[in-house]
């Protein structure tokens, strides 16, 4: 409520709600008039709706993009192509985590995320190359997941899950091997 009038609150500038259409109509009439007079340009102020719409159309037609500049795909496109026997490397710090992106002529693309004093590396093949992840430094990976596409994130998380499940199964097998068979036979005899 503004002031004492409870009905004088928020109302559109034009009650017919076709403000954008009216602005475009004014713009097109002004443009036609300027063309008849032989004037160049559209004469619209730079902050008008039509002017901003025109700039957006020009930007889209230019093929440029204003998206993120720190995704792995964009970093790879910005890097030079490697020559035979050479490696092109770029180090990026994203959310406080060191990410090393390498292009190799023979081995392809390689992305290394984080790393700890006692690394436990796994390697995941993704659409942008092989991603090297330290399982002892999963926090770094979580900070950098927004650098990858949703499909690549799915591949990375699936691989981590598979590796952890395999390690858990191997630990269970080792525990079963290390328990003496005689003690389990004695327990069975006591139960009978």
């Amino acid at each position: 409520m503004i002031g004492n009038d409870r009905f004088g609150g928020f109302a559109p500038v034009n009650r017919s709600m076709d403000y954008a259409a009216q602005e475009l109509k004014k713009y097109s009439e002004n443009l036609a008039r300027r063309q008849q007079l032989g004037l160049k340009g559209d004469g619209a102020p730079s902050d008008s709706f039509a002017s901003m719409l025109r700039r957006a159309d020009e930007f889209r037609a230019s093929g440029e993009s204003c998206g993120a500049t720190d995704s792995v795909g964009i970093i790879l496109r910005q890097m030079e192509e490697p020559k035979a026997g050479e490696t092109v490397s770029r180090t990026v710090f994203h959310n406080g985590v060191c990410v090393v992106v390498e292009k190799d002529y023979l081995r392809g693309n390689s992305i290394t995320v984080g790393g700890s004093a006692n690394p436990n590396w796994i390697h995941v093949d993704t659409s942008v190359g092989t991603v090297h992840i330290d399982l002892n430094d999963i926090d770094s990976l979580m900070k950098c997941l927004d650098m990858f596409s949703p499909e690549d994130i799915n591949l990375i998380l699936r691989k981590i899950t598979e590796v952890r499940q395999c390690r858990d199964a191997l630990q269970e097998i080792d525990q079963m091997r290390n328990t003496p068979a005689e003690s389990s036979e004695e327990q069975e005899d006591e139960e009978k």
Side-chain angles (χ1 to χ4, degrees), residues 129-156:
T130 304
V131 180
H132 306 286
I133 301 164
D134 182 6
L135 288 178
N136 294 335
D137 191 17
I138 292 294
D139 292 337
S140 294
L141 173 67
M142 292 302 145
K143 291 178 182 177
C144 293
L145 277 180
D146 59 338
M147 294 181 73
F148 297 96
S149 69
E151 295 83 14
D152 291 342
I153 292 172
N154 191 14
L155 289 170
I156 291 168

Side-chain angles (χ1 to χ4, degrees), residues 51-90:
S51 202
M52 288 188 276
L53 187 63
R54 178 182 43 80
R55 283 197 308 269
D57 288 340
E58 289 171 355
F59 183 74
R60 185 181 305 135
S62 71
E64 295 181 32
S65 68
C66 61
T69 57
D70 56 356
S71 74
V72 174
I74 293 172
I75 292 169
L76 285 168
R77 270 187 265 134
Q78 292 172 348
M79 292 173 64
E80 298 176 6
E81 289 300 317
K83 297 177 184 166
E86 291 183 3
T87 301
V88 178
S89 157
R90 184 168 175 190

Side-chain angles (χ1 to χ4, degrees), residues 95-164:
N95 292 336
V97 176
C98 179
V99 179
V100 179
V101 181
E102 292 181 347
K103 278 184 167 182
D104 190 298
Y105 185 76
L106 295 174
R107 293 180 290 167
N109 300 335
S110 171
I111 300 97
T112 306
V113 178
S116 64
N118 186 18
N120 186 3
W121 296 104
I122 63 168
H123 313 284
V124 184
D125 291 325
T126 64
S127 66
V128 291
T130 304
V131 180
H132 306 286
I133 301 164
D134 182 6
L135 288 178
N136 294 335
D137 191 17
I138 292 294
D139 292 337
S140 294
L141 173 67
M142 292 302 145
K143 291 178 182 177
C144 293
L145 277 180
D146 59 338
M147 294 181 73
F148 297 96
S149 69
E151 295 83 14
D152 291 342
I153 292 172
N154 191 14
L155 289 170
I156 291 168
L157 296 179
R158 184 178 296 143
K159 180 72 171 193
I160 290 172
T161 304
E162 288 174 5
V163 168
R164 285 188 173 171

